[in-house]
Amino acid sequence: MRLSGWMCAAVACAFVTASSPPANADSSADPLVGAPGLGDPYYPLDGNGGYDVRHYRVGIDYDPPSRLLTGSTTVFATATQALRTFNLDFAGPEVRMASVNGLPAAFDRNGEHELTVTPLLPLLPGLPFVVTVDYAGPAVDTEGEGWTFAPSGGAFVAGEPHSATSWYPLNDTPLDKATFELHATVPAEWEVVSTGVRTANVVRDDKRTVGWVTAKPVLGYLTTVAIDKFDYLEQRRANGTPLISAFAPNTEGRHREIEQRLPEILDFTEHLYGPYPFETAGGIYLDADIEFSLETQTRPIYAPKSDLQTVVHEIAHQWWGDWVSVRHWSDICLNECFASYTADYLWPERIEGENVDENYRETIRKYRDNEKFWRVPLENPGAGYEFTSVYYRGPIFLHALRKQIGDAVFFSAVRDFLAAHAYGNASMPEFRAFVQSRSPMDLTGFFDAWLNRTEPPPEEYLFPEALRD
Ligand SMILES: [Zn+2]
């Protein structure tokens, strides 16, 4: 995610999300009941226990004038324990029907986003099962945590960490990645863009049906659907990877010019972090009142204020956030520190010839005595503070680390760290331990000063030898 403009340069960004209440103790005590949450330190009720999702097949019919959303989502999962009842996360329209393995199932909605499903027959550990949920009702404006509406009458879904529950039921946690397909039907004059490869785009009578398949595992907040009267830009990488980018009406010509550099941006990032991990790429340029851009997998969404730096940031996230995802939300620096460092330091240094060491020294001079700048720690910033210091202190932390351990160790360590967690999850403690394993230097004090403290690091860590004037 990247907030538009530089309003977070020195103050906390106002992207505050309340944490959920503690899990329901009664249900987690019954061994045949799937836990309603997975105990994330910030969002304990996100995700659910007792099963592992392999694939989502989401079918929606959306009518822009009435905002009516009709959905039928099928979840292909495997039970990891015996289950008499289990939960999905869903905050979308009214549920009409639920079935498990083709048999009608009882369901109940409770809490902020829990959909409790009770199959006719209990589920056995290790066996696959299929859940279908049908729902219908108006899509609701969720202010950056789901549906957002465009002045054209179009609509899209975006938000981190929460947004997917507004349009389909899922196991909404970074810990359960699954493949994803969308089949969407809209009035014929509208277009539908999502993540992955487009598999169908058929107009019959007055309806258009569009299919998108995300063949590599993806997380809920990294899926999206965007409905508008898009224009397209189709490109290819030198290796043949197809790129589809979409532009809502009124997006500016400069956005198309930036997106034409996507092959170059992918080449640049691949050179830093290893082969591009997905089968397609692109971007979705929105015309709507939205203050952030988001790294939706393969095809980020871009706010009207986005620029080249935003695109580099969201493309870097395809490695940091999408290919390798946080284990818990307290690990958010892995995503944002690297995306910001790539866009704010590495691209300017290597493509535009900027002296980023000088930029670093200037930033330290400017903010060293600014208490607010150091107030939120980079590692474990606290619920509601995930999207604050990571943007402005993340890049200087990583630049200092690179200068502390040297380019050769830094770049090989980050590449190997990513590869070791491919299509999975990683944490900040794992990152620290991995980098430490590659360096003969004891980095304990360095990491502690940069990641855990709420004051400027001491001189020796602020200015490793290679950064001294
Ligand atoms: Zn970001």
Side-chain angles (χ1 to χ4, degrees), residues 1-3 160 293-295 310 313-314 317 320 332 335-340 387 390-391:
M1 177 185 279
R2 185 167 183 263
L3 296 143
E160 180 185 6
S293 298
L294 183 63
E295 61 271 23
T310 313
H313 179 109
E314 304 307 343
H317 269 309
W320 297 99
I332 191 67
N335 290 8
E336 301 300 343
C337 295
F338 273 99
S340 299
F387 304 103
V390 285
Y391 297 110

Side-chain angles (χ1 to χ4, degrees), residues 172-419:
D172 197 14
T173 162
L175 299 173
D176 192 359
K177 295 187 178 190
T179 52
F180 178 88
E181 65 181 288
L182 170 66
H183 303 273
T185 301
V186 290
E189 66 271 27
W190 296 87
E191 303 278 339
V192 182
V193 183
S194 183
T195 52
V197 170
R198 187 165 58 194
T199 53
N201 188 8
V202 182
V203 173
R204 193 166 296 144
D205 301 326
D206 57 349
K207 293 282 193 185
R208 178 189 301 276
T209 298
V210 186
W212 291 91
V213 171
T214 305
K216 301 289 188 195
V218 62
L219 297 179
Y221 83 95
L222 297 172
T223 61
T224 189
V225 60
I227 296 144
D228 213 320
K229 294 178 178 172
F230 291 110
D231 282 332
Y232 294 102
L233 168 66
E234 300 203 21
Q235 307 180 85
R236 263 181 202 282
R237 297 190 67 197
N239 68 4
T241 302
L243 313 176
I244 299 184
S245 305
F247 302 85
N250 300 320
T251 43
E252 297 166 34
R254 70 183 177 92
H255 287 136
R256 187 176 278 265
E257 279 167 33
I258 292 167
E259 196 67 3
Q260 281 166 347
R261 296 185 71 176
L262 181 57
E264 177 193 357
I265 297 166
L266 288 164
D267 289 351
F268 169 77
T269 319
E270 180 170 277
H271 181 73
L272 294 169
Y273 301 132
Y276 178 64
F278 305 119
E279 65 283 11
T280 182
I284 306 170
Y285 288 80
L286 303 164
D287 174 29
D289 183 15
I290 181 173
E291 292 296 325
F292 63 89
S293 298
L294 183 63
E295 61 271 23
T296 38
Q297 192 158 301
T298 68
R299 197 160 290 109
I301 61 148
Y302 293 111
K305 285 182 193 159
S306 61
D307 55 15
L308 175 66
Q309 202 176 11
T310 313
V311 176
V312 176
H313 179 109
E314 304 307 343
I315 294 302
H317 269 309
Q318 301 304 309
W319 283 259
W320 297 99
D322 295 23
W323 187 36
V324 175
S325 306
V326 294
R327 203 173 285 291
H328 300 294
W329 287 105
S330 47
D331 300 314
I332 191 67
C333 175
L334 271 187
N335 290 8
E336 301 300 343
C337 295
F338 273 99
S340 299
Y341 186 55
T342 309
D344 304 355
Y345 273 71
L346 296 173
W347 179 274
E349 176 185 40
R350 298 190 170 189
I351 303 298
E352 292 161 355
E354 260 186 50
N355 182 345
V356 293
D357 288 356
E358 192 40 45
N359 296 355
Y360 174 92
R361 286 190 284 264
E362 176 62 29
T363 302
I364 301 298
R365 269 197 292 276
K366 206 164 162 189
Y367 292 109
R368 195 171 186 171
D369 298 324
N370 182 329
E371 267 178 46
K372 267 188 187 170
F373 189 83
W374 307 97
R375 192 183 285 166
V376 178
L378 282 175
E379 181 175 342
N380 198 4
Y385 293 91
E386 299 96 310
F387 304 103
T388 56
S389 61
V390 285
Y391 297 110
Y392 51 86
R393 249 188 19 251
I396 57 172
F397 152 59
L398 287 173
H399 199 60
L401 175 62
R402 176 181 155 197
K403 295 294 166 171
Q404 179 87 13
I405 62 182
D407 277 16
V409 173
F410 178 84
F411 285 106
S412 76
V414 297
R415 269 177 89 109
D416 293 350
F417 179 75
L418 283 167

